[in-house]
Every structure is written in C-alpha cells, then in structure tokens.
Amino acid sequence: MNRLFCTTLVKYSPRNAVLPSRAVQWPRSLATTASNRHANTESTATDAQHYDIIIVGGGMVGTALACALGKNSRLQNKNILLLEAAAGFKQPSTEQYSNRVSAISKGTYRLMRTIGAWEEIERTRVKPVLKMQVWDACSDALITFNYDDFAENISWIVENDVLLASIYRQLEGVPNVRVRYSSKLASCELIRDGADRSTVRLADGETLKCDLLVGADGYNSLVRRQMGVQNFALAYNQMGVVATLRLANAPSDNVTAWQRFLPTGPIALLPLSDDTSSLVWSTGVAEAKRLLQLDGDSFIAAVNAAFHKPMPRNTLVDDVMKGVHSLIKQTTGQRLEAAPVVEAEVASSRAAFPLGLGHTSTYVGQGVCLIGDAAHRVHPLAGQGVNLGFGDVQTLVDVLADANYAGLGISNVSELLKYEQQRLKHNVPVLLTTHSLQRLYTTDFVPTVALRSIGLTLTNALPPVKKFLMNYAMS
C-alpha cells in the first residue's frame, strides 16, 4: 500500500443576505464597467454563455480563488464566473460560534490580507494562537511550539462561516466576477473529450463555456472525474467529532492550542475566546457515533477524561524514555501543562464528519485544473487541509497572471503545469507527513510507542528543528 500511495502522490503529467437562486446583482456602475471591459471580445448573446474562467464550487477555497483572480491587476480583463450549488452561503451567527473552524497559517493570512478579507475577519471574530502543546497519552513525550517571547502568532483560529462570509463581501467590489447560486453542475465536457472549449452543463439544462475550468468542488469532484485522472483515496475508518465548548476556570488569556494523541486518534482544543474553545476529536467510527449520542454531561465527562485521564503505560517505554532524558545534555526545562477543564458544550454544536486521505495523479489538463480538496484531502491532525487549498489559490493566481501578462493564454497546459509542479513540492510532503503521523499515533504497540516518544522528545530538545517544522507547516 505504501508503494502505491507514494507513487500515486507524486505521479503527474509532464506537460452577506444573499439573493438565492440567481446571480448576485452588481451595482449598475460596476456592471457597466465589466461590460465595457469585454465589449470588444464577443457579442452580448455570446457573453451570456462564455466566460474566461469558470470556478465550480463556492466554498472557502473556490470563493477565495474568484476573489483573488478578480482583484489581480493582470487579470482584470478576464470575465470570471463562480458556480455554487447551494442557494446561498450561511451567514455567521452573531450569537454563538460555529463548530467548524480552521487554524489559519501565515500564508493564508497573507492571502486574506491581499484580497482584503482579513480586516472583515478581524471585525467579526478571530483568535490568535501563541502556543501549541502536543503530548502522547502513552508516554511522557511532549512537544511545544511557540516563538521566542511569544513575539509572533503561530496561527489564527477562524470559524469557516466567518472566513467564507468575509471573502464573499470582498466580491461585492469586484466587477469582473459573477456569482451564481443554485447552480448545480450536472456534467462537463473537456477539450480532451473533443470539445472546442471546456463546457459545463447545469442541472437546469443551461450550457456554459470557458477557456479555463477550475474544479473546486471538493473531494467528490465531478470535474476531476471528467478529467479521467487517477485518484488515490484512503478511508481512515475514523470520524472527526467537533463541538464548541465552554471552559471552567478559563485562563485569563486563552491563546494555547492543545492536542493529545490517544491510541484511537488525536483530540484537540482550539481557542475561540478567553472562555470558549473548539473541539476536534478524531476517533473510530463506532466511538464517534457513541459520543454523538451521549447527553451533555456525559459528553463533557468523556472530553475531560480524554484530555486528563492517565492511560496505561508500559514499563519498557518508561525505561527507554528515562534513558533518552539522561542522554539529553541540555534539557528544555519544559513540563507538561494541564489542558483547560471543560465545563459545558454549546447547545447543538456537536457533529461529526468522516476522515480520509486523497490525492489525484495530476492537477491540470488542457483548459482545466483542480484546487483544494478536489486535488488533495488530508487528515485534520495538523490543521493543514484548508491551508493547502489556499496555497493552491495563491500559486494558481500567480501563474495565470504571469501567463496572461505574457500573452500565453490561461488554458495552456505548459503554463498550468507550473502551478502543478509548485504545489506538488509543498502538498506531497505535507500529505505524506500527516498520513505517517496518523498511522504512527493510532496504536499502542509498544515498539511503536517507544520510537515515536523518542522522536518527539528529541525534536522538542532541538529548538532549530522545532522552528523549522513550525515555519514550514504554517508558511
């Protein structure tokens, strides 16, 4: 399996209220500007059916791409359409936190600032993370991540609803981007199928054509299937249980992310406010379903036990760890800090979703490309999923802007391959590392526990290595 997994990962070809069921209506002045930009290209009738770029999928990654493309000075002559199957995006609640959040990396932070969304995020809700503590339930191994004197954030916790709404609001000022809701993709035809241009057919029978079709339609991507590329998929037989939790005796400044590796999978507590945190608990499917059925008090008891209850320890592992500590000449002086005790869960915040791994053999084709979960899917233990997708966005925008400026076209495979090659260099190592950690930390097999504990302890004792890992993961 490992050989197939690695081969499939690296193989690639060389070469705010939203108006439902209709397009977002832009102000007349903006619409006129957009119309004038494209007046010299095609007739009005043809404009209604042809776009330079069509993005399928109006999630966080697809919407960010539409916004970044539309705001790029070298692509403002391109007519862009964003298709979303839902009737409209969910407005973030003003009364409580959402149970789906993302740990935003520095790269994503820069992208959000570039497209103007970060100011809106800050005005809504965001929580910086200054420190992260990770520890093994089967030994005394731990590692902490933070910058010297807590001078920088290592990440930011943002609700997915807040992130998406903040990006959408930026689109209101982008005249060359049109958003259509209730637009479900029924099928598509690509140049490889004999079409003169990439073609999409909507569920209502409407046909649209474009020079570049971008699949941002998730890990069950229809665009990817039509490309006919191989897609490696692996179900972990795990689910991620999420909930919004209230903390008892909360710290004066809740800025630490906590993650404990249990034999059944990691459990994490991510700060949302001084007295509220978000839970992400990866565990087996049967256990996840049991957790969903528990009453509130029983669920809180289970969460606190998962963070604080001692697990059975093997004397051999303890002896090995004593030896490792004695060999480390300069100790870090760190001691395991106890995670906050959970007091209650926010009503109706508990949910679960399946976990798995996926990677497609190629991201691009003539007049088509994939981004986000359509191209790769990763376990949430390292908080990298949406950051990989936003990384795709930044790279693809840069490649397309350069190609358009040079007059090379936006559907040229040779140019699109630059996007693929750059993203493979980052995505594949992250997927391999995350998959290895998932396998390494979902067992209590004594030799494995001993080896991973040694590795974690040695890494924690080497600040330059920790800093490198932290900067790479959150770049």
Side-chain angles (χ1 to χ4, degrees), residues 99-150:
N99 61 3
R100 296 300 301 272
V101 304
S102 295
I104 297 303
S105 69
K106 291 184 177 181
T108 298
Y109 165 78
R110 289 191 293 269
L111 175 63
M112 293 300 110
R113 287 189 62 87
T114 298
I115 65 177
W118 189 253
E119 291 78 6
E120 185 68 32
I121 292 172
E122 288 187 315
R123 282 194 295 267
T124 310
R125 284 191 298 260
V126 59
K127 185 65 175 179
V129 177
L130 294 178
K131 179 181 178 181
M132 183 173 187
Q133 176 179 285
V134 181
W135 71 105
D136 195 330
C138 297
S139 73
D140 62 356
L142 82 153
I143 190 169
T144 59
F145 295 99
N146 62 267
Y147 287 100
D148 294 342
D149 300 321
F150 303 100

Side-chain angles (χ1 to χ4, degrees), residues 7-28:
T7 302
T8 308
L9 280 179
V10 301
K11 179 182 177 183
Y12 61 92
S13 172
R15 39 164 183 91
N16 181 349
V18 177
L19 299 175
S21 305
R22 62 190 179 94
V24 170
Q25 300 298 306
W26 307 112
R28 178 179 297 274

Side-chain angles (χ1 to χ4, degrees), residues 164-185:
L164 183 57
S166 298
I167 301 171
Y168 265 119
R169 290 193 183 101
Q170 302 312 304
L171 286 175
E172 296 175 3
V174 185
N176 61 323
V177 177
R178 187 183 183 198
V179 183
R180 291 182 56 175
Y181 299 99
S182 301
S183 298
K184 183 178 181 180
L185 184 66

Side-chain angles (χ1 to χ4, degrees), residues 49 180 184-187 199-208:
Q49 298 179 356
R180 291 182 56 175
K184 183 178 181 180
L185 184 66
S187 64
T199 305
V200 301
R201 292 178 178 84
L202 305 182
D204 62 2
E206 184 177 4
T207 298
L208 305 167

